[in-house]
């Protein structure tokens, strides 16, 4: 129902910063929350941050708190994730998702993008 397309992933050196974007289209009228997850090979999908589309209230994981920032531009139908102080442990595919609730579980989100690869050098 909702289409999401991430972009901005690339190789960055340890300690660097990166901004990921997610453009949302389709049936977005009732979309209440957008979230960023990441998934490394062989690992479970990990919640990072979420934001309410209306109002902008945010929720962060412990790993993201203080280091990552989620925001959105309703007019541009875009949500982004600013990441600072990156380290090799941050290497993963980063995905954006849409759902009805701002939660930490990936099961709460019904629509997903294809992901964008972030690789952090040592």
């Amino acid at each position: 129902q909702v289409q999401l397309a991430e972009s901005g992933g690339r190789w960055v050196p340890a300690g660097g910063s990166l901004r990921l974007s997610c453009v949302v289209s389709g049936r977005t009228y009732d979309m209440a929350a957008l979230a960023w997850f990441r998934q490394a090979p062989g690992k479970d999908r990990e919640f990072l941050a979420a934001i309410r589309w209306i109002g902008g209230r945010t929720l962060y994981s412990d790993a993201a708190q203080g280091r990552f920032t989620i925001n959105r531009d309703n007019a541009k139908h875009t949500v982004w994730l600013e990441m600072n102080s990156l380290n090799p442990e941050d290497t993963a595919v980063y995905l954006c998702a849409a759902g009805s609730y701002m939660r930490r579980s990936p099961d709460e989100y019904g629509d997903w993008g294809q992901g964008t690869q972030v690789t952090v050098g040592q």
Side-chain angles (χ1 to χ4, degrees):
Q1 293 183 329
V2 177
Q3 290 78 51
L4 307 98
E6 306 93 336
S7 63
R10 61 176 177 87
W11 183 94
V12 292
S17 300
L18 195 61
R19 178 176 178 173
L20 307 179
S21 297
C22 177
V23 177
V24 183
S25 62
R27 190 174 178 270
T28 62
Y29 183 80
D30 293 325
M31 183 183 66
L34 270 295
W36 283 97
F37 290 78
R38 67 185 179 188
Q39 188 166 24
K43 297 184 179 180
D44 293 333
R45 194 158 292 181
E46 176 189 4
F47 171 81
L48 294 173
I51 187 168
R52 291 182 178 177
W53 199 242
I54 303 299
R57 187 176 180 180
T58 58
L59 176 69
Y60 291 96
S61 69
D62 291 339
Q65 184 68 252
R67 195 161 62 97
F68 294 177
T69 302
I70 189 171
N71 211 335
R72 87 278 188 259
D73 187 324
N74 297 52
K76 296 182 178 180
H77 303 98
T78 301
V79 60
W80 65 86
L81 183 70
E82 294 274 4
M83 304 187 294
N84 300 310
S85 302
L86 291 167
N87 59 69
E89 301 302 319
D90 296 314
T91 296
V93 174
Y94 284 69
L95 308 99
C96 61
S100 299
Y101 300 94
M102 189 171 65
R103 297 289 187 270
R104 299 176 185 272
S105 172
D107 296 334
E108 300 288 344
Y109 300 88
D111 298 294
W112 294 82
Q114 292 297 308
T116 184
Q117 177 70 46
V118 174
T119 303
V120 184
Q122 294 181 313

